[in-house]
């Protein structure tokens, strides 16, 4: 799925077996969303998958993010070059980076890996994160930013509970808005319970992983020669479904420290008000998009952002954040 870029993948592109399997999981995650969108179960085939991708439903995008998809029907935002939107989509302002002293990206990530590994913290039994992904329709562009929060808990019996809650309504600067018909922050929007073995993880358990490159390529569905941006996206997709111990997280950062084409942007404050170091790469789609990770020496990766940087989109003013996740 990492090859499906929401900024440029045509809505009628064919999906492979992996994408179709993930699509089936999306359906089982939130049936009421599909009912609202007019989607009905009709079997899992390429034709049906293509139809679903054309709906481009905002809430469907969030459900897809819950399942760690870089989004089939979802972050699909929009108009293609040459079409004229009625208005621009409202998107969050990019994180503002304060430059730090001269340091190589590899050295920075390796240093954070060592600090994180020394903390010796076990993996948590739950994954919690806030997500927002741009969904755009020409006749109804979003005029505010409505992220949602996810809480995915693995219970002692092996079952999994996934909850989705409203996280507010904001303007591009991050100020809370009022007067919109939207649930108040914390309102439960959806709750699904999966029996042991039913929650369709993309990534196998990280226990015992020694080769993080192979692990990220396999779980992330990457090709034989992924870019650093592909690996950044795979890390995002892993962390929205799996909790890592500090040792595992440190090993993952150590692997990232060996990758090329990484830039240190500087110190930033993420969407949840926390300070970290922003590192980014344009390698996945040079001149069009940027993948950003926010990292700290005590928690590792705390946020991911996908930023449109191109010049050929009439519905977006670059740089424009089109997808983000922040873990807490």
């Amino acid at each position: 799925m990492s090859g499906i870029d929401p900024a440029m993948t045509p809505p009628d592109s064919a999906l492979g077996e992996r994408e179709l399997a993930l699509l089936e999981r999306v359906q089982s995650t939130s049936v009421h969303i599909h009912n609202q969108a007019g989607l009905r179960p009709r079997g899992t085939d390429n034709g049906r998958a293509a139809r679903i991708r054309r709906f481009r439903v905002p809430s469907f995008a969030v459900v897809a993010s819950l399942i760690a998809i870089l989004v089939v029907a979802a972050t699909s935002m929009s108009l293609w070059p040459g079409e004229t939107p009625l208005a621009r989509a409202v998107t969050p302002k990019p994180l503002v980076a304060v430059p730090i002293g001269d340091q190589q990206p590899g050295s920075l990530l390796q240093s954070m890996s060592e600090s994180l590994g020394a903390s010796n913290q076990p993996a948590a039994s739950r994954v919690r994160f806030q997500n927002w992904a741009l969904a755009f329709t020409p006749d109804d562009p979003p005029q505010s930013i409505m992220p949602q929060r996810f809480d995915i808990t693995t219970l002692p019996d092996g079952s999994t509970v996934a909850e989705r809650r409203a996280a507010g309504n904001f303007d591009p600067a991050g100020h809370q808005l009022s007067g919109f018909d939207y649930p108040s922050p914390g309102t439960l929007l959806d709750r699904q319970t999966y029996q042991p073995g039913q929650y369709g993880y993309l990534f196998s358990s990280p226990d015992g992983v020694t080769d993080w490159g192979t692990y990220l390529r396999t779980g992330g569905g990457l090709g034989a020669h992924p870019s650093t941006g592909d690996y950044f996206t795979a890390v995002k997709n892993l962390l929205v479904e799996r909790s890592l111990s500090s040792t595992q997280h440190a090993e993952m950062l150590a692997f990232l420290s060996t990758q090329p084409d990484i830039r240190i942007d500087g110190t930033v404050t993420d969407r949840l008000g926390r300070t970290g170091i922003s590192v980014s790469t344009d390698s996945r789609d040079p001149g069009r998009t940027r993948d950003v990770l926010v990292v700290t020496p005590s928690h590792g990766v705390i946020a991911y952002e996908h930023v449109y940087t191109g010049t050929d989109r009439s519905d977006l003013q670059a740089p424009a954040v089109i997808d983000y996740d922040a873990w807490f």
Side-chain angles (χ1 to χ4, degrees):
M1 299 290 288
S2 62
I4 298 179
D5 194 313
M8 36 204 289
T9 303
D12 55 355
S13 296
L15 301 180
E17 292 183 4
R18 177 183 172 84
E19 288 77 17
L20 291 171
L22 298 181
L23 189 57
E24 190 67 29
R25 178 176 158 191
V26 171
Q27 290 184 317
S28 67
T29 301
S30 187
V31 174
H32 77 276
I33 288 180
H34 300 108
N35 290 338
Q36 292 173 355
L39 306 180
R40 298 179 178 83
R42 298 182 183 176
T44 324
D45 54 33
N46 281 295
R48 171 170 163 264
R51 288 194 300 273
I52 291 177
R53 292 192 62 191
R54 285 194 286 269
F55 276 94
R56 304 181 182 279
V57 183
S59 54
F60 190 70
V62 178
V63 175
S65 273
L66 164 64
I67 329 184
I69 301 178
L70 187 52
V71 189
V72 178
T75 44
S76 58
M77 295 126 348
S78 59
L79 303 175
W80 306 107
E83 298 183 36
T84 303
L86 298 180
R88 289 192 186 277
V90 170
T91 62
K93 289 185 177 180
L95 301 178
V96 177
V98 177
I100 59 178
D102 291 339
Q103 191 169 7
Q104 294 300 312
S107 298
L108 173 70
L109 291 173
Q110 183 60 41
S111 174
M112 289 193 172
S113 168
E114 293 170 359
S115 297
L116 188 59
S119 64
N120 197 29
Q121 296 296 313
S125 61
R126 65 198 300 196
V127 174
R128 303 173 69 205
F129 63 97
Q130 179 168 300
N131 166 270
W132 176 84
L134 174 63
F136 186 88
T137 53
D139 57 347
D140 187 23
Q143 295 303 299
S144 63
I145 298 155
M146 296 180 286
Q148 296 181 340
R149 289 194 171 187
F150 297 90
D151 192 332
I152 305 170
T153 303
T154 302
L155 302 179
D157 66 356
S159 60
T160 301
V161 177
E163 293 183 342
R164 181 172 57 92
R165 296 179 182 272
N169 192 9
F170 302 90
D171 67 13
H175 301 132
Q176 185 82 255
L177 298 175
S178 60
F180 285 75
D181 183 17
Y182 189 75
S184 59
T187 300
L188 181 65
L189 303 177
D190 187 44
R191 187 178 193 272
Q192 295 290 324
T193 300
Y194 299 86
Q195 296 305 310
Q198 286 186 341
Y199 193 78
Y201 290 100
L202 304 185
F203 290 83
S204 61
S205 170
D207 294 345
V209 172
T210 57
D211 184 341
W212 282 85
T214 297
Y215 180 69
L216 292 172
R217 288 192 298 273
T218 301
L222 307 183
H225 304 288
S227 66
T228 299
D230 289 325
Y231 281 125
F232 274 30
T233 303
V235 166
K236 165 259 184 94
N237 287 343
L238 166 64
L239 295 180
V240 297
E241 67 172 28
R242 295 284 190 183
S243 177
L244 304 182
S245 69
S246 59
T247 298
Q248 292 165 341
H249 208 134
E251 291 172 350
M252 183 179 70
L253 286 184
F255 167 74
L256 292 180
S257 75
T258 67
Q259 299 306 300
D261 305 316
I262 299 177
R263 176 178 54 250
I264 300 176
D265 303 312
T267 303
V268 298
T269 300
D270 79 348
R271 308 293 169 184
L272 302 183
R274 303 163 303 178
T275 300
I277 303 296
S278 172
V279 295
S280 63
T281 178
D282 301 322
S283 58
R284 185 158 62 98
D285 190 4
R288 294 294 306 284
T289 63
R290 177 181 304 135
D291 295 288
V292 180
L293 294 179
V294 180
V295 294
T296 73
S298 58
H299 293 89
V301 176
I302 62 171
Y304 165 87
E305 306 231 342
H306 190 198
V307 183
Y308 172 73
T309 59
T311 59
D312 59 349
R313 291 287 296 273
S314 58
D315 57 318
L316 295 172
Q317 178 65 54
V321 175
I322 55 179
D323 179 21
Y324 79 76
D325 292 275
W327 294 268
F328 56 96

